[in-house]
Amino acid sequence: MLSYRHSFHAGNPADVIKHLVLREVLEYLTQKDKSLDYIDTHSGAGLYALASEEAQKTQEFEQGIAKLWHYQGANKAIEKYVELIKNFNLGSNNLTFYPGSPAVADAVLRAIDKSWLFELHPQDIKHLDENLNRKRNVKVKFEDGFKGLIGLVPPASRRACVLMDPPYEIKSDYDKVVDTIIKAHKRFSSGTYMIWYPVVQRERIDRMEQRLTDSGIRNISIFELATSADSDEFGMTASGMIVINPPWTLKKTMGEVLPELVQLLSDDDGFYRSEQLVDE
């Protein structure tokens, strides 16, 4: 249950789409003067050294952020995402570190906002605490993020952005994610909820989409980046973000971002999805 370490996968194409969407959503939500609660249910270590034994073993970042490191295109969202990652490398031309979701969020959030970071892995919680628990508005919790989310909504601020991205090593997580989001949405329907998912078996994602569609929740979008065609062989071929109550600007932004990411990060069979699953 606690074997997954994101350090093996930091900076891969799945992180690119996850963190690009996260940055876009938070940039929009922090334009308002009112405070915001950011809730990260599966936070990981917060920051990853790409020279580590784990990252070097898989070198998945070579297929993701490394391909964008010297980005020369005109897409502002990709440009801002790469700039954010470079800031964690002290503006250096060398790609040495990659931030996890809590650090990406921390780079966008303001002093008036709060972060609630949940992690259960005994090693990663130590790193998370070292990397991000230095600010008064950041709370690191060695707790189950599924339960933690339910305990935090509705937040006192009445504004929240939730990221749920479990490793899905346990097959029941696919249903648990949907169950938890439905329960949280019943308690707090105006929050922005983001679900990251991997495409290992397309049927599991189809089921998640159908359950969310049937739940009665409105205003659901999906953004997916496939680096290769769906396959029955072992391994992730695509990943995406399901966003409930997305900023109105996100659909247009991702409609421009995803075709370019397919060109930059995918093989000849790569594709993307940018769809409205459920209308407002």
Side-chain angles (χ1 to χ4, degrees):
M1 179 177 177
L2 297 175
S3 62
Y4 179 87
R5 304 293 300 281
H6 194 70
S7 49
F8 288 95
H9 312 289
N12 68 3
D15 266 359
V16 171
I17 185 171
K18 179 199 304 180
H19 294 149
L20 195 151
V21 169
L22 174 61
R23 200 209 70 81
E24 287 293 314
V25 169
L26 288 177
E27 182 180 63
Y28 180 87
L29 292 176
T30 52
Q31 289 176 12
K32 206 167 193 177
D33 290 339
K34 295 181 179 179
S35 62
L36 177 73
D37 283 76
Y38 171 69
I39 304 168
D40 196 323
T41 63
H42 297 77
S43 296
L47 185 67
Y48 304 94
L50 298 180
S52 69
E53 182 180 349
E54 294 95 337
Q56 287 297 313
K57 184 174 182 178
T58 59
Q59 296 191 348
E60 289 186 16
F61 63 90
E62 293 286 2
Q63 304 305 313
I65 184 59
K67 288 187 174 182
L68 300 176
W69 195 243
H70 299 291
Y71 178 70
Q72 296 294 318
N75 187 285
K76 291 297 183 183
I78 298 176
E79 192 177 82
K80 288 179 180 180
Y81 159 72
V82 174
E83 182 182 354
L84 185 152
I85 306 305
K86 286 189 174 182
N87 288 339
F88 284 91
N89 290 270
L90 304 177
S92 169
N93 286 327
N94 298 320
L95 175 57
T96 307
F97 296 101
Y98 189 86
S101 301
V104 170
D106 191 61
V108 183
L109 294 172
R110 308 153 299 176
I112 62 171
D113 303 318
K114 290 182 180 179
S115 287
W116 305 86
L117 310 178
F118 293 89
E119 179 54 48
L120 272 178
H121 195 287
Q123 294 302 119
D124 284 348
I125 189 68
K126 293 178 183 177
H127 296 309
L128 181 65
D129 197 58
E130 293 167 0
N131 289 324
L132 283 149
N133 202 18
R134 62 191 182 279
K135 297 182 179 181
R136 294 176 63 184
N137 60 339
V138 176
K139 304 296 182 185
V140 174
K141 301 282 190 178
F142 185 35
E143 299 173 16
D144 182 336
F146 290 121
K147 295 178 181 177
L149 167 61
I150 301 303
L152 286 175
V153 291
S157 67
R158 309 303 298 185
R159 300 181 72 231
C161 177
V162 176
L163 175 63
M164 184 173 289
D165 62 335
Y168 297 95
E169 283 191 312
I170 306 168
K171 292 180 180 179
S172 60
D173 275 356
Y174 291 90
D175 281 330
K176 195 170 187 178
V177 162
V178 177
D179 291 340
T180 304
I181 289 293
I182 291 172
K183 187 174 182 180
H185 188 271
K186 285 180 179 178
R187 293 171 63 92
F188 183 57
S189 62
S190 62
T192 296
Y193 297 88
M194 295 177 287
I195 303 168
W196 175 83
Y197 65 86
V199 180
V200 179
Q201 292 178 302
R202 176 61 68 178
E203 295 79 9
R204 295 190 184 280
I205 308 308
D206 290 342
R207 175 177 165 81
M208 287 179 70
E209 290 181 35
Q210 191 60 55
R211 289 195 63 211
L212 285 168
T213 300
D214 294 342
S215 69
I217 296 174
R218 310 298 300 173
N219 197 12
I220 308 177
S221 295
I222 187 166
F223 308 104
E224 182 176 301
L225 172 65
T227 53
S228 59
D230 289 356
S231 172
D232 292 331
E233 298 178 11
F234 179 78
M236 182 175 66
T237 58
S239 66
M241 294 279 272
I242 298 171
V243 188
I244 299 168
N245 297 327
W248 68 271
T249 55
L250 189 61
K251 184 73 162 57
K252 181 178 184 295
T253 297
M254 295 308 294
E256 296 168 351
V257 163
L258 286 167
E260 192 161 354
L261 288 183
V262 168
Q263 186 177 25
L264 293 169
L265 303 182
S266 301
D267 62 25
D268 292 339
D269 295 323
F271 62 92
Y272 73 92
R273 298 174 63 197
S274 179
E275 303 169 16
Q276 187 83 13
L277 286 182
V278 183
D279 292 334
E280 293 186 48

